[in-house]
Amino acid sequence: DGHGVRHAYVWLNGAEIQLTKQGFGGAVSSLKLDDGSYLVGGYYGADDLTESNSLYYCIGEGNYNTDTWATSDWIYTCPVFKTDAYLWHVSADGRVIGSLQLSRKDNDDARTGSVRAISKADDGTIYAFGYVSDDEYADGTAVARMWTIGVGEDGSLSEVSYSGANGVDDPGDGDENYLLTTFNASNSSYATGFVRYYKDKEVNKPIESFIYDFRNGSVKKTIADTPFRGASIIVNSINSAGIACGQHDLSTETSPVNGGSQRTKAGFVYSVDSDSMYDLNDYICSSSGCEQGGRYYFISDAVDINDNGTILATAYRYDSKDDWVNHRNSTVVPVFLQNGSFNTDKSISSD
């Protein structure tokens, strides 16, 4: 009927569990609690969405080649139509026992929001991290937000407190350099986020990342101008040992981006404690060469890292060394990078 619907799901013990009944939703992150239940974070918008013509053009049957600019442009901003940051509480046996729409007190006109990460601090406090935004057709701004969550004995969820990231220049704070900020990942001590520039910085409008100590309410480290001034850098994940991973602009590509082609991205890991960054492509070769099972690889994005140090990454795979050297005839593949490279001081050994 032209009314688009997207549901949020989780898969638990082989079972598919639908979290939403109508509207537009998605599950992005989760945290396992001590009793075996899960908090699931993401985005959800119910009543406003099912009657929206914009959803028809977003995921319906709109003709994007012949419709006017006012409709065809909407396909680029999905799924940002009137969604809120949202939490669900799912029992160990797969029942939804609690849900919570999170606050957007600072922005009553917010059109979109999402929980990007959930963490339990050492003192047992549960935090949700994400953003709220007044983004309408990609013209607005997003701001990083943190919520403290209460979990009742009956499984019900409550919002204990709500705040921004102290020390991060949000849009509207008087700094015209920034277009948006958001939290992206977290562990028991730190949350990671990124800031997108609005103005040029060395022929680019870069994304720069930060490490936020939410126990103290302060930025521990801003990760910018790496590997060169104006480079984009995104931290995707951080584990319990304070080892983060993500992607940044390849160090050899400093050509202009605005009005030109995008730069090649390279995967990295970063130690918060030692403030050291390592390009993963420097560590997938050995003394015997760079061939791995008859293929060659270039790590373009380190997507996730777990507590034992295993990294899930996106890579370009090449069938020959010549193709690898010249970056041609590649196949995009997911790869696992096994743990074992970090020393006790959380630095990578020289070999």
Side-chain angles (χ1 to χ4, degrees):
D1 58 5
H3 299 156
V5 175
R6 172 180 288 174
H7 287 302
Y9 286 89
V10 294
W11 285 262
L12 181 62
N13 299 324
E16 181 182 279
I17 303 159
Q18 182 175 317
L19 300 177
T20 55
K21 296 182 179 180
Q22 60 179 337
F24 212 59
V28 178
S29 58
S30 65
L31 174 70
K32 188 175 185 179
L33 302 181
D34 293 340
D35 63 358
S37 64
Y38 289 85
L39 286 184
V40 180
Y43 56 89
Y44 185 38
D47 297 336
D48 290 339
L49 290 167
T50 54
E51 299 301 324
S52 172
N53 284 334
S54 59
L55 272 176
Y56 172 76
Y57 290 102
C58 176
I59 57 175
E61 298 299 326
N63 188 328
Y64 308 131
N65 295 318
T66 61
D67 287 337
T68 67
W69 67 267
T71 54
S72 62
D73 277 359
W74 287 347
I75 65 173
Y76 300 111
T77 56
C78 304
V80 300
F81 297 99
K82 297 182 181 179
T83 57
D84 288 296
Y86 216 86
L87 285 172
W88 297 269
H89 190 190
V90 180
S91 66
D93 61 0
R95 293 174 295 113
V96 179
I97 55 179
S99 61
L100 179 65
Q101 176 183 314
L102 294 173
S103 175
R104 55 184 187 189
K105 295 173 185 175
D106 61 336
N107 187 358
D108 291 335
D109 296 324
R111 289 184 60 88
T112 180
S114 182
V115 173
R116 302 284 299 169
I118 314 171
S119 283
K120 183 177 181 181
D122 294 335
D123 63 2
T125 305
I126 295 173
Y127 296 90
F129 303 93
Y131 68 90
V132 295
S133 174
D134 62 356
D135 192 359
E136 182 170 5
Y137 317 133
D139 291 330
T141 59
V143 290
R145 287 297 177 258
M146 177 176 72
W147 298 268
T148 305
I149 306 301
V151 181
E153 293 184 359
D154 61 351
S156 61
L157 303 177
S158 60
E159 182 181 312
V160 179
S161 64
Y162 169 80
S163 65
N166 184 38
V168 176
D169 288 329
D170 278 334
D173 286 348
D175 193 327
E176 296 182 353
N177 286 325
Y178 302 119
L179 178 63
L180 63 84
T181 63
T182 182
F183 285 113
N184 208 35
S186 63
N187 63 12
S188 61
S189 301
Y190 304 118
T192 75
F194 61 77
V195 177
R196 183 188 294 275
Y197 261 68
Y198 177 73
K199 295 183 176 180
D200 272 352
K201 184 178 184 180
E202 299 297 323
V203 298
N204 190 19
K205 295 177 181 177
I207 295 173
E208 298 178 344
S209 291
F210 60 90
I211 305 294
Y212 188 73
D213 187 341
F214 58 81
R215 302 163 303 177
N216 300 321
S218 62
V219 176
K220 181 176 179 65
K221 173 68 178 178
T222 298
I223 310 174
D225 298 330
T226 300
F228 54 87
R229 179 172 167 78
S232 287
I233 180 167
I234 300 175
V235 174
N236 291 320
S237 178
I238 185 170
N239 69 8
S240 61
I243 307 299
C245 68
Q247 66 168 210
H248 59 59
D249 289 345
L250 188 64
S251 59
T252 55
E253 294 202 4
T254 59
S255 58
V257 173
N258 296 329
S261 60
Q262 293 296 312
R263 295 167 175 158
T264 300
K265 308 300 181 182
F268 69 86
V269 290
Y270 169 76
S271 169
V272 174
D273 288 353
S274 65
D275 189 22
S276 301
M277 183 171 292
Y278 308 90
D279 189 329
L280 287 170
N281 290 292
D282 294 339
Y283 294 92
I284 60 173
C285 297
S286 65
S287 58
S288 61
C290 296
E291 183 179 351
Q292 309 238 6
R295 306 286 182 87
Y296 295 80
Y297 295 84
F298 179 85
I299 308 299
S300 63
D301 193 11
V303 178
D304 202 1
I305 183 169
N306 66 10
D307 286 345
N308 69 20
T310 301
I311 295 170
L312 173 65
T314 301
Y316 295 104
R317 187 183 67 198
Y318 303 90
D319 290 334
S320 70
K321 184 176 181 180
D322 189 52
D323 283 345
W324 175 64
V325 169
N326 290 284
H327 285 273
R328 66 189 181 196
N329 300 325
S330 64
T331 301
V332 178
V333 294
V335 296
F336 284 104
L337 305 175
Q338 296 299 321
N339 176 45
S341 295
F342 278 90
N343 294 320
T344 56
D345 64 353
K346 299 176 184 176
S347 65
I348 292 184
S349 56
S350 60
D351 61 354

